[in-house]
Amino acid sequence: MTSQLLRNLPSVERVVSSDALADVVSIYGRDWLVDLTRDALESARRDIRAGGQARCLDDIAEAVKRAVDELVTPSPRPLINATGVVIHTNLGRAPLSKAAIAAADAVARGYSDLEIDLATGRRGSRQAHLQSLLRQITGAEAALVVNNNASALLLGLSALASGREVIVARGEAVEIGGGFRIPDVLRQSGCTLVDVGTTNRTYVRDYADAVTDDTAAFLKAHASNFRVEGFTAAVEERDLVELGERTGVPVLHDVGSGALLPTERYGLAHEPTPQEAIDAGVGLVFFSGDKLLGGPQAGIVVGKRDLVGRLERHPLARAVRIDKMSLASLTATLTHYLSGNAESEIPVWRMISARVEAIKSRAERWREAIGGPSGYETAVVPARSAIGGGSLPGETLDSWALSISSRGSGSRPESLLSALRGRATPVIARIEDDTVRLDPRTVLPEQDDDITMGLAEALAL
Ligand SMILES: *Cc1c(COP(=O)(O)O)cnc(C)c1O
């Protein structure tokens, strides 16, 4: 039986020259359709051997078409984030401001003065403009921007401390996520980690006792994705800087999310800012471009001129350099902080500062737009949005959400979640109390129609 089904499968040639694939072949040519057809036939054979059904020519041609579609669909695909998590690493972190998008678009279209000094016509630095902006905003003497914060740290430690010791508080030898661990970065940079203090408490004298002739830096890392509560003590930046001045050891601080606005203004806990670290006299401050800064992926280093200079001259600087589109959109994003319109123009800050009543009325509008879908109960309920992205662990903002319960229809909330993910513009929601929750805080205003259409479709399935 099985061998009969296997023998009945069409040949590669018959599938590729079938009418069903004529259009696809005329667009993409035969060569890679032959490969995809082999794959489709192989998977049909596997399925038949496992007890699956017979496949006719049309089934295989259909599978090949789906494979073609998948290959040519642009990726990553835009989607709607209705999770209420503002900086969602799996969903691409910060959405960009209009000006930041326009800036990336403009340099992508044609040539730019990326590395030419227009006044002299000679070679210029891709960093120059960004450096003056960052100096203005953070008060630092110098700045350097690279591919992301992880590479900024790798560069910083390699340039300043390779072959030497770096002192880190035990409570700060952390894993940031995605396998990124401070001890591993130190090892990769050729440094020896000297950990001091205990998991919950570290004092200045712990650092002082560990200093040797071989000490190259004190490294502080913001424990950005967890909180230690209770009997704790961490060393004030200023005290560490003072010890550093006495012993000739620079302080490096990985503040993580790069909040340039005070988070406490929005009812959140205080997130350390690069400005404060510079003000305290830290040698180098490291942060990401696409977390609370609200820009593109980037790693930003600000600090003392001589230290930044050593990073610039290190061979790794070239290996981790930033590309022109990120550079352009980061510049545009930073300009919002200078013009004082960050809160209204940068999406992550607009989301964080959104008024709860406005969020509630959006949820109510969504609810009205989908009407009363049969088998489902809808309600607008209090919710909590999170900051995410390794910023402000455990901190949430009061919000409202559209809640959809499928109890009446007998289907599981997971099925609705998956139907929402399966749309042309996928919608990502979450489940709480056995109901699907959609938080308007993280949905861009221009996505309102799309989300209600998506909901109506998914609920009708
Ligand atoms: C997120 C984070 C990083 C990694 O930054 P990327 O820009 O993702 O490379 C490093 N350190 C801290 C403290 C972070 O929060």
Side-chain angles (χ1 to χ4, degrees):
M1 179 65 188
T2 299
S3 56
Q4 186 62 43
L5 293 182
L6 288 173
R7 262 197 307 279
N8 286 350
L9 283 172
S11 67
V12 172
E13 182 49 40
R14 267 193 66 212
V15 179
V16 175
S17 43
S18 68
D19 289 347
L21 289 185
D23 287 353
V24 186
V25 171
S26 76
I27 298 172
Y28 301 109
R30 279 179 56 98
D31 285 358
W32 57 275
L33 280 184
V34 167
D35 288 342
L36 292 178
T37 304
R38 284 211 179 95
D39 293 347
L41 283 166
E42 188 46 46
S43 123
R45 272 186 219 108
R46 264 199 310 273
D47 186 61
I48 289 170
R49 283 194 206 101
Q53 306 225 322
R55 298 292 163 78
C56 65
L57 177 69
D58 283 348
D59 296 334
I60 305 292
E62 210 37 58
V64 173
K65 269 197 207 159
R66 272 199 307 275
V68 170
D69 269 349
E70 219 160 86
L71 271 177
V72 301
T73 302
S75 167
R77 274 160 69 188
L79 56 70
I80 298 176
N81 172 14
T83 62
V85 180
V86 176
I87 300 162
H88 201 306
T89 295
N90 299 355
L91 305 185
R93 292 197 181 158
L96 297 179
S97 74
K98 289 201 170 61
I101 296 165
D105 183 276
V107 297
R109 272 165 203 282
Y111 301 100
S112 60
D113 65 345
L114 183 65
E115 287 188 354
I116 185 171
D117 180 342
L118 292 176
T120 61
R122 280 203 282 275
R123 182 171 178 158
S125 155
R126 67 172 62 209
Q127 301 271 348
H129 187 187
L130 209 55
Q131 284 168 332
S132 5
L133 269 174
L134 282 164
R135 282 202 306 267
Q136 271 306 319
I137 294 170
T138 64
E141 289 172 8
L144 177 70
V145 180
V146 295
N147 180 63
N148 63 351
N149 193 20
S151 58
L153 274 169
L154 184 68
L155 170 62
L157 291 166
S158 304
L160 302 184
S162 184
R164 301 181 63 202
E165 292 173 357
V166 175
I167 303 180
V168 183
R170 212 159 253 145
E172 296 179 15
V174 295
E175 172 169 330
I176 312 297
F180 181 76
R181 292 173 158 186
I182 292 291
D184 294 341
V185 179
L186 281 162
R187 200 171 312 119
Q188 190 62 43
S189 316
C191 315
T192 305
L193 167 74
V194 177
D195 52 357
V196 295
T198 59
T199 308
N200 55 333
R201 298 197 139 218
T202 306
Y203 305 96
V204 178
R205 64 166 187 273
D206 295 323
Y207 286 90
D209 289 349
V211 174
T212 69
D213 288 346
D214 232 17
T215 305
F218 299 132
L219 174 65
K220 278 185 76 62
H222 181 43
S224 53
N225 49 10
F226 70 102
R227 228 172 15 194
V228 184
E229 275 176 79
F231 187 63
T232 63
V235 173
E236 287 289 329
E237 231 164 16
R238 265 178 214 287
D239 298 337
L240 200 55
V241 167
E242 198 187 299
L243 173 66
E245 276 162 6
R246 263 191 289 127
T247 51
V249 175
V251 178
L252 316 181
H253 192 172
D254 171 14
V255 296
S257 77
L260 294 172
L261 296 182
T263 44
E264 61 275 19
R265 187 191 292 167
Y266 307 95
L268 295 163
H270 178 71
E271 179 79 3
T273 69
Q275 299 93 306
E276 280 160 16
I278 292 299
D279 193 47
V282 167
L284 290 180
V285 187
F286 300 82
F287 51 102
S288 294
D290 54 358
K291 292 182 178 173
L292 281 173
L293 194 148
Q297 177 184 308
I300 301 166
V301 191
V302 295
K304 302 241 151 71
R305 187 169 294 116
D306 57 323
L307 298 177
V308 172
R310 285 166 67 188
L311 269 58
E312 281 173 337
R313 291 189 297 274
H314 192 275
L316 258 185
R318 170 60 201 267
V320 298
R321 82 175 175 192
I322 188 169
D323 76 289
K324 63 182 178 182
M325 284 181 282
S326 305
L327 194 65
S329 61
L330 183 60
T331 305
T333 307
L334 288 170
T335 312
H336 294 307
Y337 290 94
L338 275 190
S339 347
N341 60 6
E343 201 182 90
S344 58
E345 294 298 320
I346 298 179
V348 297
W349 288 108
R350 208 167 49 219
M351 290 170 184
I352 290 171
S353 63
R355 291 181 317 120
V356 273
E357 307 82 63
I359 296 177
K360 186 180 185 189
S361 46
R362 272 177 86 194
E364 279 164 351
R365 279 203 301 278
W366 293 358
R367 181 165 182 249
E368 278 159 32
I370 59 174
S374 75
Y376 294 95
E377 271 168 45
T378 62
V380 171
V381 300
R384 308 204 60 90
S385 320
I387 304 304
S391 316
L392 295 159
E395 288 286 312
T396 55
L397 293 160
D398 282 332
S399 192
W400 288 86
L402 171 61
S403 156
I404 305 175
S405 157
S406 53
R407 275 186 278 269
S409 74
S411 70
R412 303 279 316 139
E414 287 81 4
S415 327
L416 179 55
L417 223 53
S418 129
L420 287 169
R421 277 199 313 270
R423 303 191 59 247
T425 303
V427 176
I428 310 295
R430 63 197 160 90
I431 296 178
E432 218 175 289
D433 288 338
D434 225 27
T435 63
V436 170
R437 297 279 164 90
L438 299 111
D439 184 339
R441 185 187 295 276
T442 50
V443 176
L444 304 173
E446 59 269 28
Q447 294 173 328
D448 271 3
D449 287 344
D450 212 356
I451 198 168
T452 49
M453 233 157 53
L455 276 169
E457 275 170 29
L459 291 168
L461 285 181

